[in-house]
Amino acid sequence: SYEGTLDANGEVLTLDTLGPSFSGDGRLVRYQDIIAWEGDDHRTLRSRAMGEDGGWGPYFVTAHYRRKR
């Protein structure tokens, strides 16, 4: 399940969740998906995981969604 927050402008949705570690060691780690509305026809999704140091690591996924008119 996800817990999320929407920024004050209603343009960035940040979703937090727990999931299995990419290392396959059975640990659960925190993940964050950030969805940003860039305009009427464009959204971006970025994903990252929390590192062992407690800080967010680099984005491992960036996707652009564009509506075709």
Side-chain angles (χ1 to χ4, degrees):
S1 69
Y2 284 95
E3 289 190 20
T5 58
L6 187 62
D7 77 338
N9 295 328
E11 296 175 355
V12 179
L13 175 63
T14 302
L15 301 171
D16 295 292
T17 192
L18 285 175
S21 169
F22 286 147
S23 67
D25 60 8
R27 289 182 306 126
L28 290 178
V29 296
R30 290 182 61 196
Y31 290 97
Q32 196 170 62
D33 291 333
I34 301 167
I35 301 166
W37 280 259
E38 308 288 344
D40 290 342
D41 299 322
H42 183 207
R43 288 190 317 240
T44 58
L45 165 71
R46 296 178 296 160
S47 299
R48 60 187 179 179
M50 184 167 283
E52 291 183 19
D53 64 356
W56 289 108
Y59 294 106
F60 57 84
V61 169
T62 299
H64 294 269
Y65 300 93
R66 297 180 191 274
R67 178 172 34 192
K68 228 177 180 179
R69 292 194 182 232

